[in-house]
């Protein structure tokens, strides 16, 4: 039965996330006949010998693809996990300043992948983009290693808290240079690594589709397990042995990652750049605007139909698996593809690309418009996750971190609790929970992707609420029974519940977003799709910086310190957590309002037997065919 269902995958999968071989490029630029011949064209493409001859690819390429991505993230996340401690103890910053540095850097690192996606798709290609970006990451890690090594690149040691000297302008400038190199490297690797890995599978075969389905969860699982090692070994070395050695280890591993990536060059399936979709999207918007006042009658039926001479639908010049069908969502944009007098030349090509767009361009624009409301809901959810690398570490520094008579848990290693949660849960979810849910819900992933995002939001809200109550107890104990340094006599493992809940939030929401963007965008937009995920992180980091500074500047007064005072015991950090939890509740309400209006493009139901209708209207708990 599973084999038969996989064979029925049909247009839904191939339209929006199929990964196949380059198809023969049509020589004609004439307008295509009708939607009715689309299935025949697909069958011919799938049976063509030119589209079935492949290099090895598949799982043989995965050690090299995952190796490079994992070590790049090890360098970045291994640095970020303990970076707050580095700024507080080595650069002598207060927690608000350190939080601003991390949020601004993380935001830039998450925003730049959009630029990397554009360069990758338009000019360079995924392989070369990852290759060049890896060297930028290496240069950034070398610069970071030099900062604690050379005395002139960091402030002098602080023996008396009252006489601590902060960083100079030149020291902050070199730190910004190092972080900038890391951001540039991430801009190339993050939007390309997952699409490059998916490129290694053939979505037109049952084995390839199964490989892609498992790739998303196992990709994140492998990455998480390696991070656990990073957050324990590397962070311990940084905090207890040497910051120089702690930064040098990821640098050396990045060298290994680059070597490993190039060893697999002959195994990879390489896709050539096919041009950026941004130009086509811009053309579609302009054409729709120009034709907005023309009296063009759109078909008044349940779905759009393509008739000869009505819509511009030329053969694709790209190596895409299948055309996107015209849909009736955002129907006002369909005017941009309707042919009017003077739009076509004698040979069937466009007279003015800014006055006439193809159906493909319009549907690519719709993919972005369709995802924006859901995408926006992810920012506040990730806002809660952003606090793990900042104020959670400030809490840990003022708690009992002893584990046994001689060992102290490094604050940066606490993130391993979330990682262990993810590493244990994902295989269980993928192999045990999903198959059982699938039999009940008849949904391919057990629950829909939007339901998965919603569950993650609930966990993020619970995590912030628990964090607030734990901080309230920690602060009370520190005031009543704290030591000379203000540390509360309670174990740091009191932070474990909030970190476990955040691990579940990541497992549901982040992976759900990754899968949603990769499945719902057409094949030539996957780099853009993955950069959208990074923009979500950027939005969360910048929003966190804004909220932190607003609270820092508006709370307190009349002799009372603000909520985020340098002395955490004098502040009210728990109120900050409750504010984020409250924003999460509002965000969840917004998500529940917009999610039912989202219409999936990829296949969702396991009992779907109608391939002729590729467009679905799917609510959080139901599937309705148009």
């Amino acid at each position: 039965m599973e084999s038969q269902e996989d064979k029925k995958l049909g247009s839904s999968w191939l339209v929006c996330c199929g990964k196949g071989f380059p198809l023969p490029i049509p020589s004609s630029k004439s307008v295509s006949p009708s939607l009715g011949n689309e299935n025949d064209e697909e069958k011919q493409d799938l049976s063509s010998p030119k589209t079935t001859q492949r290099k090895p690819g598949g799982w043989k390429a995965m050690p090299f693809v995952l190796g490079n991505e994992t070590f790049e993230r090890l360098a970045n996340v291994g640095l970020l996990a303990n970076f707050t401690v580095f700024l507080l103890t080595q650069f002598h910053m207060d927690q608000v300043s350190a939080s601003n540095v991390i949020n601004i850097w993380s935001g830039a690192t998450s925003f730049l992948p959009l630029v990397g996606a554009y360069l990758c798709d338009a000019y360079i290609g995924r392989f070369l983009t990852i290759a060049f970006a890896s060297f930028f990451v290496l240069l950034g890690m070398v610069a970071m290693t030099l900062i604690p090594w050379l005395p002139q690149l960091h402030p002098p040691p602080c023996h008396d808290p009252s006489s601590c000297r902060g960083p100079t302008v030149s020291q902050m400038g070199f730190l910004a240079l190092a972080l900038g190199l890391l951001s540039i490297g991430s801009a190339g690797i993050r939007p390309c690594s997952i699409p490059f890995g998916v490129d290694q599978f053939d979505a037109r075969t049952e084995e390839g589709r199964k490989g892609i389905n498992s790739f998303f969860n196992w990709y994140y699982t492998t990455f998480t397990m390696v991070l656990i090692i990073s957050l324990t070994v590397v962070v311990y070395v940084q905090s207890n042995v040497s910051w120089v050695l702690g930064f040098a280890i990821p640098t050396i591993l990045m060298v290994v990652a680059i070597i490993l990536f190039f060893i697999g060059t002959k195994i990879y399936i390489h896709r050539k750049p096919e041009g950026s979709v941004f130009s086509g999207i811009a053309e579609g918007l302009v054409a729709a605007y120009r034709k907005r006042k023309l009296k063009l009658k759109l078909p008044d039926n349940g779905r759009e139909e393509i008739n000869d001479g009505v819509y511009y639908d030329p053969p694709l010049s790209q190596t895409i698996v299948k055309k996107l069908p015209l849909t009736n969502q955002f129907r006002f944009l369909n005017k941009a593809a309707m042919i009017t007098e003077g739009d076509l030349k004698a040979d069937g090509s466009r007279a003015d690309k800014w006055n006439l767009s193809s159906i493909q361009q319009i549907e690519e624009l719709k993919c972005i418009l369709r995802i924006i409301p859901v995408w926006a809901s992810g920012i506040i959810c990730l806002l809660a996750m952003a606090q793990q690398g900042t104020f959670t570490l400030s809490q840990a520094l003022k708690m009992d971190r002893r584990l046994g008579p001689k060992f102290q848990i490094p604050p940066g290693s606490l993130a391993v609790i979330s990682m262990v949660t993810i590493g244990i849960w994902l295989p269980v979810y993928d192999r045990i929970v999903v198959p059982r849910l699938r039999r009940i819900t008849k949904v391919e992933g057990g629950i829909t992707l939007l339901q998965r995002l919603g569950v993650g939001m609930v966990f993020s809200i619970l995590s912030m609420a628990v964090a607030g109550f734990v901080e309230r107890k920690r602060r009370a104990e520190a005031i009543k029974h704290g030591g000379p340094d203000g540390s509360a006599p309670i174990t740091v493992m009191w932070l474990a519940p909030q970190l476990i809940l955040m691990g579940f939030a990541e497992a549901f929401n982040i992976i759900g977003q990754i899968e949603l963007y990769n499945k719902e965008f057409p094949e030539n937009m996957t780099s853009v799709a993955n950069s959208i995920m990074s923009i979500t992180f950027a939005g969360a980091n910048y929003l966190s910086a804004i909220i932190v500074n607003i609270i820092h500047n508006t709370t307190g007064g009349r002799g009372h310190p603000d909520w985020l005072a340098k002395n955490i015991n004098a502040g009210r950090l728990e109120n900050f957590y409750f504010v984020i939890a409250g924003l999460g509740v509002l965000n969840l309400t917004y998500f529940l309002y917009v999610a039912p209006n989202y219409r999936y493009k990829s296949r969702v139901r396991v009992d779907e037997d109608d391939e002729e209708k590729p467009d679905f209207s799917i609510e959080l708990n139901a599937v309705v065919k148009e």
Side-chain angles (χ1 to χ4, degrees), residues 153-334:
L153 295 180
H154 62 266
C158 182
H159 302 291
D160 183 6
S162 61
S163 60
C164 285
R165 290 172 52 188
T168 63
V169 175
S170 60
Q171 290 168 348
M172 286 299 299
F174 193 84
L175 177 65
L177 173 64
L179 297 178
L181 291 170
L182 290 173
S183 296
I184 294 173
S186 296
I189 293 179
R190 291 190 181 182
C192 298
S193 59
I194 292 180
F196 186 69
V198 176
D199 279 345
Q200 311 309 312
F201 299 96
D202 187 352
R204 300 165 303 172
T205 66
E206 180 181 349
E207 181 181 358
R209 291 191 293 268
K210 288 182 177 179
I212 293 173
N213 280 332
S214 296
F215 173 73
F216 294 114
N217 278 340
W218 287 108
Y219 168 91
Y220 207 86
T221 301
T222 305
F223 161 61
T224 300
M225 297 307 294
V226 173
L227 281 184
I228 291 175
I229 300 174
S230 168
L231 294 173
T232 52
V233 177
V234 176
V235 169
Y236 178 81
V237 171
Q238 291 172 349
S239 299
N240 297 280
V241 180
S242 167
W243 284 100
V244 177
L245 182 60
F247 285 163
I249 291 175
T251 304
I252 295 171
L253 292 176
M254 194 64 212
V255 174
V256 176
I258 293 175
I259 296 174
L260 188 66
F261 180 73
F262 282 104
I263 289 177
T265 301
K266 294 184 178 180
I267 300 178
Y268 302 141
I269 295 168
H270 299 265
R271 290 184 53 81
K272 295 180 180 180
E274 299 172 339
S276 174
V277 299
F278 292 114
S279 58
I281 291 172
E283 292 169 11
L285 286 172
V286 173
Y289 179 79
R290 286 182 174 181
K291 292 185 175 181
R292 71 191 188 283
K293 294 183 179 181
L294 296 181
K295 295 181 179 180
L296 301 175
K297 186 177 180 180
L298 296 171
D300 187 17
N301 49 25
R303 55 179 294 198
E304 295 296 293
E305 296 179 356
I306 303 176
N307 302 314
D308 288 334
V310 176
Y311 290 104
Y312 182 62
D313 188 31
L316 297 175
S317 61
Q318 298 176 325
T319 58
I320 195 168
V321 175
K322 187 175 178 291
K323 290 182 180 180
L324 292 172
L326 187 64
T327 62
N328 62 9
Q329 191 176 20
F330 305 113
R331 294 179 74 233
F332 64 93
L333 293 173
N334 292 358

Side-chain angles (χ1 to χ4, degrees), residues 605-625:
R605 300 285 285 197
V606 296
D607 57 352
E608 187 60 56
D609 57 1
D610 187 355
E611 297 183 15
E612 298 300 317
K613 297 181 180 180
D615 197 20
F616 299 88
S617 176
I618 298 182
E619 299 187 2
L620 285 175
N621 58 356
V623 179
V624 181
K625 291 185 186 178

Side-chain angles (χ1 to χ4, degrees), residues 465-483:
V466 170
F469 288 115
V470 170
E471 169 59 17
R472 180 174 292 176
K473 177 175 179 57
R474 186 212 63 79
R475 180 176 177 274
E477 291 295 322
I479 294 175
K480 291 181 180 179
H481 311 291

